[in-house]
Amino acid sequence: QVQLVESGGGLVQAGGSLRLSCATSGRAVMLYGMGWFRQAPGKEREFVAAISGNGGNRDYADSVKDRFTISRDSGKNTVYLQMNSLKPEDTAVYLCAAAKGTYFTVLTTSPGYTYWGQGTQVTVSS
């Protein structure tokens, strides 16, 4: 059973930073492509960032490019999302997800992801 557990969310002022972590349940999951998505109240889930299973490819939503960085540490079975220069519009529940068969590629659409965490709340005050 694959489990993904997010942490690191919280309340931060605009312009601040947070680092989200996604701990995975096993080493096999670290071969999967991983993604971060977010969902704000009343809005649809949207793609934030993704990284391939081998860590060599990354992609970001235009709204977070140059502010957010996705990375992975296979030794710790953890994927990170470093968020800098946060804006009030970044407020949302952030979820991590894992996709099989994406060792060399990145996946930016949610239907392709097999496993999902429960999410962590990020609130950015103005």
Side-chain angles (χ1 to χ4, degrees):
Q1 184 76 10
V2 174
Q3 289 186 324
L4 308 176
V5 180
E6 302 95 335
S7 62
L11 174 64
V12 64
Q13 289 188 333
S17 298
L18 284 174
R19 189 177 78 158
L20 305 184
S21 299
C22 175
T24 66
S25 60
R27 295 181 66 182
V29 180
M30 294 310 292
L31 299 178
Y32 299 167
M34 300 292 293
W36 285 97
F37 291 78
R38 65 188 182 187
Q39 188 161 18
K43 295 187 177 181
E44 292 190 355
R45 184 174 297 178
E46 65 172 350
F47 167 74
V48 176
I51 187 169
S52 59
N54 66 354
N57 295 294
R58 296 172 175 84
D59 201 0
Y60 299 90
D62 288 342
S63 59
V64 307
K65 204 167 289 184
D66 299 326
R67 298 189 298 123
F68 291 10
T69 302
I70 188 171
S71 62
R72 62 192 308 159
D73 185 335
S74 296
K76 295 183 178 180
N77 296 339
T78 302
V79 176
Y80 303 98
L81 184 68
Q82 177 66 43
M83 306 186 296
N84 299 327
S85 302
L86 283 160
K87 305 175 181 180
E89 50 264 44
D90 294 318
T91 296
V93 174
Y94 283 72
L95 306 103
C96 74
K100 293 182 178 180
T102 51
Y103 187 72
F104 296 106
T105 59
V106 291
L107 192 62
T108 62
T109 54
S110 59
Y113 284 86
T114 307
Y115 306 104
W116 291 84
Q118 293 298 310
T120 184
Q121 176 70 46
V122 171
T123 304
V124 184
S125 63
S126 57

Short mmCIF file of all heavy atoms in Angstrom, two decimals, residues 1-32:
data_model
loop_
_atom_site.label_atom_id
_atom_site.label_comp_id
_atom_site.label_asym_id
_atom_site.label_seq_id
_atom_site.Cartn_x
_atom_site.Cartn_y
_atom_site.Cartn_z
N GLN A 1 0.84 -1.18 0.00
CA GLN A 1 0.00 0.00 0.00
C GLN A 1 0.89 1.24 0.00
O GLN A 1 1.71 1.41 0.88
CB GLN A 1 -0.91 0.00 1.25
CG GLN A 1 -1.89 1.15 1.30
CD GLN A 1 -3.06 0.93 0.35
OE1 GLN A 1 -3.22 -0.16 -0.20
NE2 GLN A 1 -3.86 1.96 0.17
N VAL A 2 0.69 2.07 -1.01
CA VAL A 2 1.48 3.29 -1.10
C VAL A 2 0.82 4.38 -0.28
O VAL A 2 -0.39 4.60 -0.37
CB VAL A 2 1.59 3.75 -2.57
CG1 VAL A 2 2.27 5.10 -2.66
CG2 VAL A 2 2.34 2.70 -3.39
N GLN A 3 1.61 5.04 0.51
CA GLN A 3 1.10 6.17 1.30
C GLN A 3 1.96 7.40 1.07
O GLN A 3 3.19 7.29 1.01
CB GLN A 3 1.07 5.81 2.78
CG GLN A 3 0.01 4.79 3.15
CD GLN A 3 -0.08 4.58 4.65
OE1 GLN A 3 0.91 4.62 5.36
NE2 GLN A 3 -1.30 4.38 5.14
N LEU A 4 1.31 8.53 0.96
CA LEU A 4 1.98 9.81 0.80
C LEU A 4 1.49 10.72 1.93
O LEU A 4 0.28 10.86 2.12
CB LEU A 4 1.65 10.44 -0.55
CG LEU A 4 1.87 9.58 -1.80
CD1 LEU A 4 1.41 10.33 -3.04
CD2 LEU A 4 3.32 9.18 -1.93
N VAL A 5 2.41 11.32 2.65
CA VAL A 5 2.04 12.18 3.77
C VAL A 5 2.72 13.52 3.62
O VAL A 5 3.95 13.61 3.66
CB VAL A 5 2.43 11.54 5.11
CG1 VAL A 5 2.04 12.46 6.26
CG2 VAL A 5 1.76 10.17 5.27
N GLU A 6 1.91 14.57 3.45
CA GLU A 6 2.44 15.92 3.30
C GLU A 6 2.60 16.59 4.66
O GLU A 6 1.87 16.29 5.61
CB GLU A 6 1.51 16.79 2.45
CG GLU A 6 1.22 16.28 1.06
CD GLU A 6 -0.05 15.47 0.99
OE1 GLU A 6 -0.46 14.90 2.04
OE2 GLU A 6 -0.66 15.39 -0.09
N SER A 7 3.56 17.51 4.73
CA SER A 7 3.76 18.31 5.93
C SER A 7 4.42 19.61 5.53
O SER A 7 4.90 19.76 4.40
CB SER A 7 4.60 17.57 6.97
OG SER A 7 5.88 17.29 6.45
N GLY A 8 4.46 20.56 6.47
CA GLY A 8 5.17 21.80 6.23
C GLY A 8 4.29 23.00 5.92
O GLY A 8 4.79 24.11 5.78
N GLY A 9 2.99 22.77 5.81
CA GLY A 9 2.10 23.89 5.56
C GLY A 9 1.96 24.78 6.78
O GLY A 9 2.45 24.46 7.86
N GLY A 10 1.29 25.92 6.59
CA GLY A 10 1.09 26.83 7.70
C GLY A 10 0.65 28.20 7.23
O GLY A 10 0.27 28.38 6.07
N LEU A 11 0.73 29.14 8.15
CA LEU A 11 0.36 30.53 7.87
C LEU A 11 1.62 31.36 7.71
O LEU A 11 2.52 31.30 8.57
CB LEU A 11 -0.50 31.08 9.01
CG LEU A 11 -0.86 32.56 8.96
CD1 LEU A 11 -1.73 32.86 7.76
CD2 LEU A 11 -1.55 32.97 10.25
N VAL A 12 1.70 32.11 6.63
CA VAL A 12 2.88 32.93 6.36
C VAL A 12 2.44 34.24 5.74
O VAL A 12 1.40 34.30 5.07
CB VAL A 12 3.86 32.17 5.43
CG1 VAL A 12 3.25 31.92 4.06
CG2 VAL A 12 5.19 32.89 5.31
N GLN A 13 3.21 35.29 5.96
CA GLN A 13 2.90 36.58 5.35
C GLN A 13 3.34 36.60 3.90
O GLN A 13 4.27 35.87 3.50
CB GLN A 13 3.58 37.70 6.11
CG GLN A 13 2.98 37.98 7.48
CD GLN A 13 3.56 39.22 8.13
OE1 GLN A 13 4.70 39.60 7.85
NE2 GLN A 13 2.79 39.85 8.99
N ALA A 14 2.71 37.44 3.12
CA ALA A 14 3.09 37.60 1.72
C ALA A 14 4.56 37.96 1.63
O ALA A 14 5.07 38.75 2.42
CB ALA A 14 2.25 38.69 1.06
N GLY A 15 5.25 37.32 0.69
CA GLY A 15 6.68 37.50 0.53
C GLY A 15 7.51 36.49 1.28
O GLY A 15 8.72 36.40 1.06
N GLY A 16 6.88 35.72 2.14
CA GLY A 16 7.58 34.72 2.93
C GLY A 16 7.80 33.42 2.18
O GLY A 16 7.46 33.30 0.99
N SER A 17 8.35 32.44 2.90
CA SER A 17 8.68 31.14 2.30
C SER A 17 8.18 30.00 3.17
O SER A 17 8.04 30.14 4.39
CB SER A 17 10.20 31.01 2.14
OG SER A 17 10.72 31.99 1.28
N LEU A 18 7.92 28.89 2.53
CA LEU A 18 7.61 27.62 3.19
C LEU A 18 8.22 26.50 2.38
O LEU A 18 8.38 26.62 1.17
CB LEU A 18 6.09 27.40 3.28
CG LEU A 18 5.28 28.18 4.30
CD1 LEU A 18 3.79 27.91 4.09
CD2 LEU A 18 5.69 27.83 5.72
N ARG A 19 8.54 25.40 3.07
CA ARG A 19 8.98 24.19 2.36
C ARG A 19 8.05 23.07 2.74
O ARG A 19 7.96 22.69 3.91
CB ARG A 19 10.42 23.82 2.71
CG ARG A 19 10.92 22.68 1.81
CD ARG A 19 12.36 22.31 2.06
NE ARG A 19 12.53 21.49 3.24
CZ ARG A 19 13.58 20.69 3.45
NH1 ARG A 19 14.53 20.62 2.54
NH2 ARG A 19 13.67 19.99 4.55
N LEU A 20 7.38 22.54 1.74
CA LEU A 20 6.50 21.40 1.94
C LEU A 20 7.28 20.11 1.72
O LEU A 20 8.17 20.05 0.87
CB LEU A 20 5.32 21.44 0.98
CG LEU A 20 4.47 22.71 0.99
CD1 LEU A 20 3.29 22.55 0.04
CD2 LEU A 20 4.01 23.06 2.38
N SER A 21 6.92 19.09 2.47
CA SER A 21 7.53 17.77 2.32
C SER A 21 6.44 16.75 2.04
O SER A 21 5.32 16.87 2.54
CB SER A 21 8.28 17.36 3.59
OG SER A 21 9.32 18.26 3.88
N CYS A 22 6.79 15.74 1.26
CA CYS A 22 5.89 14.63 0.97
C CYS A 22 6.67 13.35 1.24
O CYS A 22 7.54 12.97 0.43
CB CYS A 22 5.39 14.68 -0.46
SG CYS A 22 4.37 13.27 -0.95
N ALA A 23 6.38 12.72 2.35
CA ALA A 23 7.05 11.47 2.71
C ALA A 23 6.31 10.30 2.08
O ALA A 23 5.08 10.20 2.18
CB ALA A 23 7.07 11.32 4.23
N THR A 24 7.05 9.41 1.44
CA THR A 24 6.44 8.27 0.77
C THR A 24 6.69 6.99 1.56
O THR A 24 7.62 6.93 2.36
CB THR A 24 6.99 8.12 -0.66
OG1 THR A 24 8.37 7.77 -0.57
CG2 THR A 24 6.83 9.40 -1.43
N SER A 25 5.88 5.98 1.26
CA SER A 25 5.89 4.79 2.11
C SER A 25 6.96 3.78 1.74
O SER A 25 7.22 2.86 2.49
CB SER A 25 4.53 4.10 2.06
OG SER A 25 4.24 3.70 0.72
N GLY A 26 7.56 3.90 0.58
CA GLY A 26 8.52 2.90 0.19
C GLY A 26 9.47 3.36 -0.88
O GLY A 26 9.21 4.35 -1.57
N ARG A 27 10.56 2.61 -1.02
CA ARG A 27 11.59 3.02 -1.97
C ARG A 27 11.09 2.92 -3.42
O ARG A 27 11.52 3.69 -4.27
CB ARG A 27 12.84 2.19 -1.78
CG ARG A 27 13.51 2.39 -0.44
CD ARG A 27 14.76 1.56 -0.31
NE ARG A 27 15.78 1.99 -1.25
CZ ARG A 27 16.96 1.40 -1.37
NH1 ARG A 27 17.24 0.35 -0.62
NH2 ARG A 27 17.84 1.84 -2.24
N ALA A 28 10.17 1.98 -3.71
CA ALA A 28 9.66 1.82 -5.08
C ALA A 28 8.97 3.09 -5.55
O ALA A 28 9.05 3.45 -6.73
CB ALA A 28 8.72 0.63 -5.17
N VAL A 29 8.32 3.77 -4.63
CA VAL A 29 7.59 4.98 -5.00
C VAL A 29 8.55 6.06 -5.48
O VAL A 29 8.18 6.90 -6.31
CB VAL A 29 6.76 5.50 -3.80
CG1 VAL A 29 6.01 6.76 -4.17
CG2 VAL A 29 5.80 4.43 -3.32
N MET A 30 9.77 6.02 -5.00
CA MET A 30 10.73 7.04 -5.40
C MET A 30 11.17 6.86 -6.86
O MET A 30 11.91 7.69 -7.37
CB MET A 30 11.93 7.03 -4.46
CG MET A 30 11.57 7.47 -3.04
SD MET A 30 10.63 9.02 -2.99
CE MET A 30 11.85 10.19 -3.55
N LEU A 31 10.75 5.79 -7.52
CA LEU A 31 10.99 5.65 -8.96
C LEU A 31 9.87 6.28 -9.77
O LEU A 31 9.97 6.43 -10.98
CB LEU A 31 11.11 4.17 -9.33
CG LEU A 31 12.25 3.40 -8.67
CD1 LEU A 31 12.21 1.94 -9.10
CD2 LEU A 31 13.60 4.02 -9.01
N TYR A 32 8.79 6.63 -9.09
CA TYR A 32 7.64 7.22 -9.78
C TYR A 32 7.84 8.72 -9.96
O TYR A 32 8.51 9.38 -9.16
CB TYR A 32 6.36 7.02 -8.97
CG TYR A 32 5.96 5.60 -8.69
CD1 TYR A 32 4.98 5.31 -7.75
CD2 TYR A 32 6.52 4.54 -9.37
CE1 TYR A 32 4.58 4.02 -7.48
CE2 TYR A 32 6.15 3.24 -9.10
CZ TYR A 32 5.18 2.99 -8.16
OH TYR A 32 4.79 1.70 -7.90
#
